[in-house]
């Protein structure tokens, strides 16, 4: 990853994309502010993109990535527009994971499915436009411990959920007042 940032800093045309679920949209719909790292407010406050320390994703969310904020470094990179962010619906992420498993023989962790979905979408755009690109994503782990989530997907128990704007605004109103 360090090499990719070095290439970008050297002026090479490199896109870095963070991918998150639509049900927990910290970068794409959160606020860049100081917030606690936990709901109990025991950690020091950090400058991050956040949905508010008391944010709770919906119970239907099975795709991992449930934290209310983003790592301070990732948040800063996004804030400085050195990386982009996209949000992907839950069903699309599991479909991407199934596609990847069938092609590669590896059942990916639901967290990785988000990146796989965005990478597949980009590959399809390149196929349609004829543009040649090198695409890569981080496969952060296997999904062997996530078989219940895959079972829920295959049995039709999962659904897409876009976190409501009013719920985000309510959580952001409870951010600590700094400065």
């Amino acid at each position: 990853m360090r090499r990719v940032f070095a290439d970008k800093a050297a002026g090479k045309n490199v896109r870095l994309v963070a991918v998150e679920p639509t049900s927990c949209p910290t970068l794409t719909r959160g606020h860049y502010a100081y917030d606690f790292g936990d709901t109990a407010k025991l950690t020091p406050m950090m400058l991050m993109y956040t949905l508010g320390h008391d944010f709770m994703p919906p119970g239907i969310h099975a795709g991992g990535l449930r934290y209310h904020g983003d790592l301070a470094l990732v948040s800063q990179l996004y804030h400085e527009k050195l990386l982009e962010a996209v949000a992907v619906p839950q069903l699309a992420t599991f479909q991407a994971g199934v596609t990847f498993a069938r092609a590669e023989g590896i059942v990916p962790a639901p967290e990785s499915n988000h990146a796989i979905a965005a990478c597949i979408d980009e590959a399809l755009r390149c196929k349609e436009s004829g543009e040649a690109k090198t695409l890569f994503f981080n496969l952060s782990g296997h999904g062997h411990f996530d078989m219940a989530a895959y079972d829920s997907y295959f049995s039709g128990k999962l659904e897409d959920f876009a976190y409501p704007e009013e719920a985000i605004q309510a959580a952001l109103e409870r951010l600590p007042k700094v400065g």
Side-chain angles (χ1 to χ4, degrees):
M1 189 55 110
R2 188 176 351 162
R3 180 74 231 163
V4 174
F5 275 107
D7 287 347
K8 187 171 182 75
K12 292 187 180 178
N13 185 16
V14 176
R15 275 183 68 214
L16 303 169
V17 182
V19 188
E20 62 188 9
T22 56
S23 57
C24 191
T26 52
L27 288 173
T28 56
R29 295 177 58 207
H31 187 69
Y32 193 56
Y34 281 95
D35 197 5
F36 295 100
D38 64 333
T39 57
K41 302 186 228 175
L42 296 175
T43 61
M45 287 190 287
M46 298 168 273
L47 185 58
M48 65 172 116
Y49 275 89
T50 181
L51 295 170
H53 56 272
D54 56 359
F55 165 82
M56 290 303 239
I60 192 66
H61 179 65
L65 304 173
R66 306 173 72 83
Y67 186 58
H68 70 274
D70 268 285
L71 182 69
L73 180 57
V74 171
S75 293
Q76 183 179 357
L77 292 170
Y78 181 66
H79 188 71
E80 293 180 9
K81 300 187 183 348
L82 294 171
L83 62 87
E84 302 167 36
V86 297
V88 182
Q90 180 167 247
L91 295 178
T93 65
F94 276 91
Q95 178 59 50
V98 170
T99 299
F100 183 81
R102 289 181 175 152
E104 299 297 329
I106 300 168
V107 177
E111 294 85 355
S112 295
N113 288 347
H114 295 79
I116 295 168
C119 205
I120 288 172
D121 288 347
E122 187 66 23
L124 292 173
R125 281 190 288 276
C126 288
K127 182 178 180 181
E128 186 176 299
S129 70
E131 182 182 7
K133 281 187 180 180
T134 301
L135 306 174
F136 75 93
F137 65 90
N138 181 24
L139 180 64
S140 60
H142 62 72
H144 296 168
F145 297 115
D146 300 294
M147 289 304 166
Y150 277 98
D151 183 56
S152 293
Y153 170 73
F154 282 119
S155 64
K157 294 177 185 169
L158 294 186
E159 57 189 63
D160 287 334
F161 180 85
Y163 208 74
E165 184 61 31
E166 56 275 3
I168 292 173
Q169 290 308 314
L172 293 177
E173 287 175 13
R174 295 185 295 275
L175 284 175
K177 306 300 182 229
V178 177

